[in-house]
């Protein structure tokens, strides 16, 4: 959410920043509503002062027996009270209009990110690892003989419909091992606080991180008003909702492994094969809460934490900075990490790491007390996948596939699989 005072100070800069996202100028409309709101507040304050003065004079008129003046002043007080009530309602209505417009606007892009409209305009900043030079035609994950017995889309469709999967046997064990490995790495090596959160939240929590009001169709709501989280960003970030923290407690770094739920509205025809885009999936999510001056460095550190997971798994990847037109609404800067998938012969997103500045903090009213004193300030919030478990499974099996249909597994996972090192072509751990 944006600060109207900043827009007042430089409306042209605000419009120019939003134009990088393809949004038409809005500052004139915002400032007109703001002016009407402020005028109503000022008029109400003036009427209140007049009413207060008249109320004092009523007693004096009565004391001196001036009935005509007494009646006039009483009428004036009543009139002013009515004006105050009307003006107060006008101010509330304009304030609500302003709030509704501001809360629907996306964050402003960081000046350092590239201009552009879509993923074709993103800029690669580094690459790690070299894809294997295979002497056979690589398969996509769902076609690999080792994986087929443990990845059942037909039964899942019978149970729940399209874009669900039933994992079993070696594939289910691998999925669990990956999540455990990610959590252990983030907790033991990166110092994040492991957290178990609900997967259903109140509506105001979805507003706090920006999923509402504009993107409600992308998520699921229960009949009694709870929302299923699309990512643990919602729960982890809202831990500080409404709080004023001591700066000495920052940064706060959380990690959680949760189920995630997305309706994928508007994504018909995109990545519908296999496990790439599901309505229900699991993710290990990282969230950091920082002081403003530290958020840029924290963004780079969070990106590195996600990259380390891929490096430990031996998976080739590249990291890109998203252009203004391809970035999520709440972010001011985003790094996407894309893993190599030989079955598709391309890199595919496996993590997005975003810094949101004070955009979410304003929506949540999350602040901190500066250590050196002074007024409380809004925190900065950051979030990122560390990683999407299902997509990591896809990358592991596609990069580990062998010509005989088996899959070799990364060495870091062997302890989580009781020493097993591969999935045989018949789908067994061995």
């Amino acid at each position: 959410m944006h600060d109207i005072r900043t827009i007042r100070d430089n409306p042209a800069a605000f419009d120019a920043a939003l134009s990088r996202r393809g949004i038409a100028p809005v500052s004139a409309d915002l400032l007109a509503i703001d002016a009407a709101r402020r005028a109503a507040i000022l008029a109400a304050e003036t009427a209140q002062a007049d009413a207060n003065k008249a109320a004092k004079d009523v007693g004096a008129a009565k004391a001196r027996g001036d009935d005509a003046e007494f009646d006039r002043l009483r009428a004036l007080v009543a009139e002013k009270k009515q004006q105050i009530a009307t003006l107060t309602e006008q101010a509330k209505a304009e304030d609500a209009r302003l709030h509704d417009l501001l809360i629907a606007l996306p964050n402003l892009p960081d000046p350092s990110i590239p201009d552009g409209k879509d993923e074709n305009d993103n800029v690669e900043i580094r690459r790690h690892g070299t894809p294997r030079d295979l002497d056979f035609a690589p398969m996509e994950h769902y076609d690999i003989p080792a994986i087929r017995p443990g990845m059942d889309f037909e039964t899942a469709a019978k149970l729940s419909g399209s874009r669900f999967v039933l994992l079993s046997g070696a594939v289910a064990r691998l999925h669990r091992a990956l999540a455990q490995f990610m959590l252990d790495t983030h907790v033991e090596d990166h110092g994040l606080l492991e957290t178990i959160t609900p997967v259903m939240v109140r509506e105001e929590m979805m507003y706090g991180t920006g999923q509402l009001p504009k993107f409600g169709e992308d998520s699921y709501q229960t009949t009694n008003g709870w929302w299923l989280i699309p990512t643990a960003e919602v729960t982890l970030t809202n831990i500080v909702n409404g709080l004023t923290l001591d700066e000495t407690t920052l940064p706060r770094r959380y990690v959680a492994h949760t189920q995630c739920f997305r309706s994928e509205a508007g994504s018909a025809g995109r990545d519908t094969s296999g496990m790439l885009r599901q309505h229900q999936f699991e993710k290990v999510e990282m969230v950091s809460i920082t002081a403003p001056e530290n958020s840029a460095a924290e963004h780079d550190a969070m990106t590195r934490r996600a990259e380390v997971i891929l490096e430990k798994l031996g998976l080739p990847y590249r990291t890109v900075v998203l252009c203004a037109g391809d970035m999520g609404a709440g972010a001011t800067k985003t790094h996407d990490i894309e893993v190599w998938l030989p079955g598709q012969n391309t890199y595919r997103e496996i993590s997005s790491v975003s810094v949101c500045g004070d955009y979410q903090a304003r929506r949540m009213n999350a602040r901190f007390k500066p250590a050196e004193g002074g007024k409380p300030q809004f925190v900065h919030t950051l979030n990122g996948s560390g990683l999407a478990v299902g997509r990591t499974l896809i990358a592991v099996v596609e990069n580990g596939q062998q010509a005989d249909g088996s899959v070799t597994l990364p060495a870091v996972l062997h302890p989580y699989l009781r020493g097993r090192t591969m999935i045989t072509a018949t789908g067994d751990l061995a």
Side-chain angles (χ1 to χ4, degrees):
M1 190 166 175
H2 300 287
D3 185 353
I4 189 62
R5 293 171 295 183
T6 302
I7 302 172
R8 282 189 218 130
D9 291 342
N10 200 336
F14 184 78
D15 285 339
L18 283 182
S19 72
R20 299 182 66 200
R21 286 185 176 268
I23 296 176
V26 295
S27 65
D29 291 339
L30 294 171
L31 294 178
I33 297 170
D34 180 49
R37 178 183 66 91
R38 295 164 71 195
I41 292 171
L42 178 59
E45 291 172 347
T46 301
Q48 184 66 64
D50 292 342
N52 292 343
K53 182 178 183 305
K56 290 180 181 179
D57 293 342
V58 164
K62 185 174 181 63
R64 65 176 182 266
D66 189 343
D67 293 340
E69 182 65 3
F70 175 77
D71 290 339
R72 186 188 72 81
L73 289 170
R74 279 212 313 173
L76 179 61
V77 170
E79 177 187 343
K80 291 299 178 182
K81 285 184 176 179
Q82 183 59 49
Q83 287 181 10
I84 293 165
T86 300
L87 290 166
T88 299
E89 287 304 311
Q90 288 178 5
K92 287 181 179 178
E94 296 297 344
D95 190 60
R97 286 181 64 202
L98 183 63
H99 177 272
D100 289 346
L101 287 174
L102 287 174
I103 205 168
L105 290 172
N107 206 348
L108 302 183
D110 188 275
S112 69
I113 71 170
D115 288 325
K117 294 182 179 180
D118 54 36
E119 62 185 16
N120 296 314
D121 298 314
N122 297 337
V123 176
E124 182 177 317
I125 53 179
R126 56 182 166 270
R127 189 175 291 215
H128 178 89
T130 303
R132 286 171 56 205
D133 185 14
L134 302 178
D135 58 1
F136 60 92
M139 298 180 183
E140 293 201 54
H141 58 285
Y142 48 84
D143 281 333
I144 299 171
I147 304 305
R148 283 202 302 263
M151 191 174 288
D152 186 347
F153 295 98
E154 290 185 3
T155 301
K158 178 183 71 174
L159 296 172
S160 305
S162 63
R163 297 202 184 186
F164 291 91
V165 66
L166 184 73
L167 303 182
S168 62
V171 180
R173 288 283 300 275
L174 175 59
H175 190 275
R176 175 159 57 91
L178 282 166
Q180 187 67 57
F181 158 68
M182 292 174 193
L183 280 175
D184 285 351
T185 301
H186 290 313
V187 172
E188 300 293 340
D189 299 349
H190 301 154
L192 309 188
L193 179 65
E194 184 173 357
T195 312
I196 297 175
T197 79
V199 296
M200 295 191 296
V201 294
R202 300 174 185 269
E203 189 162 278
E204 54 265 36
M205 300 299 110
M206 295 284 280
Y207 273 94
T209 45
Q211 279 73 26
L212 295 177
K214 197 169 184 178
F215 304 103
E217 66 174 6
D218 295 329
S219 297
Y220 294 105
Q221 187 178 25
T222 67
T223 55
N224 59 354
W226 281 318
W227 288 81
L228 299 177
I229 61 170
T231 162
E233 171 198 347
V234 177
T235 44
L236 294 175
T237 308
N238 274 292
I239 289 173
V240 299
N241 188 314
L243 299 182
T244 300
L245 312 170
D246 287 329
E247 185 176 10
T248 55
T249 69
L250 301 178
R252 296 190 177 193
R253 299 177 174 125
Y254 303 106
V255 64
H257 167 222
T258 66
Q259 295 278 357
C260 304
F261 305 88
R262 295 183 185 172
S263 69
E264 298 293 352
S267 63
R270 294 178 55 204
D271 306 330
T272 54
S273 299
M275 283 184 62
L276 269 173
R277 193 177 292 271
Q278 299 271 286
H279 291 309
Q280 175 185 328
F281 57 97
E282 294 182 28
K283 190 145 70 84
V284 173
E285 182 76 1
M286 305 177 291
V287 161
S288 290
I289 312 295
T290 75
E293 63 270 19
N294 299 326
S295 63
E298 185 69 13
H299 186 217
D300 290 337
M302 286 182 74
T303 303
R304 184 66 195 135
R305 291 170 198 139
E307 291 172 339
V308 163
I309 299 294
L310 293 173
E311 291 175 17
K312 286 179 176 288
L313 291 169
L315 298 173
Y317 69 87
R318 67 178 197 144
T319 303
V320 303
V321 58
L322 299 193
C323 69
D326 194 37
M327 202 165 48
T332 185
K333 184 176 183 179
T334 296
H335 292 150
D336 266 12
I337 305 173
E338 300 175 349
V339 69
W340 175 253
L341 297 184
Q344 294 190 13
N345 194 38
T346 192
Y347 289 93
R348 299 301 300 265
E349 178 206 332
I350 198 167
S351 173
S352 280
V353 185
S354 298
V355 56
C356 300
D358 63 6
Y359 180 84
Q360 292 177 326
R362 289 182 180 279
R363 302 167 77 100
M364 299 185 302
N365 193 28
R367 303 171 185 257
F368 71 96
K369 297 176 184 176
E372 70 277 8
K375 294 175 61 176
Q377 301 176 30
F378 288 106
V379 299
H380 277 197
T381 62
L382 303 94
N383 62 81
S385 307
L387 303 163
V389 182
R391 289 196 174 197
T392 307
L393 184 149
I394 292 171
V396 164
V397 301
E398 288 199 10
N399 281 277
Q401 64 182 300
Q402 305 299 313
D404 64 358
S406 65
V407 170
T408 59
L409 300 173
V412 293
L413 296 182
H414 297 172
Y416 296 93
L417 298 169
R418 301 289 183 92
R420 275 77 163 220
T421 63
M422 65 179 294
I423 303 177
T424 67
T426 56
D428 299 313
L429 279 170

